[in-house]
Amino acid sequence: MEIKSYQTQAEEFVEHYLLADPFLPYTSVLAGTFLCKLVYDLTELFSSIHIKSYSALTKIKRIEWNNRGISTVHAIFISFMALYFVFFSDLFSDQRSLESLTVLRTSPLSNFGLGVSVGYFLADLGMIFWLYPSLGGSEYIFHHCLSGTAVAYSLFSGEAQLYTYMVLISEVTTPEINLRWYLDIAGLKRSKAYLINGVGIFIAWLTARILLFIYMFYHVYIHYDQVVEMHTFGYLLVFVVPIALSVMNLMWFGKIVKGLKKTLEKTL
């Protein structure tokens, strides 16, 4: 009876405080940060036991290995969330346009997803600054600050969550990028897996970071009457962040194409 009483109290605390609408943005950010630490430790534990080459890496390479484990798990989580809200959920459907403006719609689940993502950006930025420039240079800091600010604003203001999730679909490319790094570290740069991975990155990048951004700009264009109803800062973010990220994506895409061409020339 006493154990059941504690369980009931815990459930009420979670339901009425941690998951209550006023607290959800903050608890989800904390959950995201905590999960980053958990994934880091689990990646380190698993790799030290099951990956023979892990122990031979330098300390900074082991930290980067674990850090990429975090970014991979976050990318898988937020990609599924983003794909669900953009293509499958009716939360942002135009058929519900009479209920409220599309750019102002939110839900507890959409808030939770964005909060976890903010927690990840904060944790990853902290590690980048801590070990700068080993985990990434100024372009990574710029990317994370820009993306993190946009996601945090969307979370706490409730504005443009649809467009935020459209941009977050681009995280679907992260696992492929990390796998390429793991294959390189494992000395498999000339393997068939490395070639297949390069082709996968090319296709995923073209789809999620080039074509999908074009679709997002088109969506903003046909819903511009709603976009102008947003606060000035949110309005600017809808244009500034995707444009800046698009420029970076195109620059990185050029490097991906060059890298893929070199790999194909060596293999074929």
Side-chain angles (χ1 to χ4, degrees):
M1 289 292 291
E2 190 173 339
I3 294 175
K4 195 165 186 178
S5 175
Y6 281 122
Q7 182 181 352
T8 302
Q9 291 178 24
E11 289 174 352
E12 289 179 352
F13 175 76
V14 170
E15 181 180 353
H16 296 295
Y17 291 96
L18 294 184
L19 297 183
D21 284 348
F23 300 102
L24 185 58
Y26 305 99
T27 54
S28 58
V29 172
L30 289 174
T33 306
F34 170 77
L35 289 172
C36 285
K37 170 61 176 170
L38 179 63
V39 172
Y40 183 95
D41 290 341
L42 289 176
T43 302
E44 183 178 34
L45 178 63
F46 177 86
S47 300
S48 61
I49 297 173
H50 299 286
I51 309 295
K52 291 181 179 179
S53 57
Y54 179 80
S55 58
L57 298 175
T58 62
K59 181 180 179 181
I60 192 64
K61 285 297 181 184
R62 289 199 300 271
I63 292 174
E64 184 173 1
W65 180 292
N66 301 334
N67 178 262
R68 286 179 182 271
I70 297 173
S71 64
T72 299
V73 172
H74 165 261
I76 293 171
F77 166 78
I78 203 62
S79 295
F80 273 111
M81 293 286 285
L83 288 167
Y84 167 72
F85 280 117
V86 174
F87 296 112
F88 300 102
S89 173
D90 66 346
L91 177 62
F92 303 113
S93 172
D94 286 336
Q95 296 177 359
R96 295 180 54 186
S97 59
L98 296 178
E99 297 177 24
S100 62
L101 296 179
T102 304
V103 296
L104 300 180
R105 291 184 204 154
T106 67
S107 73
L109 184 59
S110 69
N111 285 332
F112 176 77
L114 295 180
V116 170
S117 198
V118 171
Y120 159 74
F121 280 119
L122 289 173
D124 204 40
L125 262 177
M127 291 193 69
I128 290 173
F129 279 122
W130 176 42
L131 296 167
Y132 186 84
S134 299
L135 297 182
S138 56
E139 71 277 9
Y140 283 89
I141 293 175
F142 178 74
H143 172 273
H144 275 35
C145 287
L146 199 64
S147 301
T149 298
V151 176
Y153 178 82
S154 187
L155 169 65
F156 290 104
S157 70
E159 293 184 349
Q161 289 200 359
L162 171 61
Y163 299 132
T164 304
Y165 273 114
M166 281 186 181
V167 172
L168 285 171
I169 290 177
S170 62
E171 284 294 309
V172 76
T173 61
T174 300
E176 293 93 329
I177 296 293
N178 286 341
L179 177 58
R180 194 168 190 78
W181 184 87
Y182 286 130
L183 290 171
D184 190 9
I185 289 294
L188 298 173
K189 205 168 184 178
R190 294 184 177 275
S191 67
K192 188 173 289 187
Y194 195 82
L195 174 61
I196 294 171
N197 172 261
V199 175
I201 290 174
F202 173 82
I203 295 171
W205 200 280
L206 177 63
T207 304
R209 291 184 180 260
I210 307 295
L211 299 179
L212 188 64
F213 272 63
I214 294 173
Y215 170 73
M216 196 216 78
F217 288 125
Y218 170 73
H219 196 284
V220 170
Y221 172 73
I222 63 176
H223 292 83
Y224 185 75
D225 59 322
Q226 296 188 30
V227 175
V228 294
E229 296 294 326
M230 296 168 54
H231 291 93
T232 304
F233 188 68
Y235 174 86
L236 290 173
L237 285 177
V238 167
F239 291 97
V240 172
V241 173
I243 290 173
L245 292 178
S246 293
V247 172
M248 296 176 71
N249 288 338
L250 286 170
M251 292 170 60
W252 284 330
F253 187 61
K255 294 180 180 179
I256 290 169
V257 172
K258 288 181 181 178
L260 181 60
K261 284 177 66 178
K262 285 183 180 179
T263 304
L264 287 171
E265 288 170 358
K266 291 177 182 178
T267 307
L268 301 176

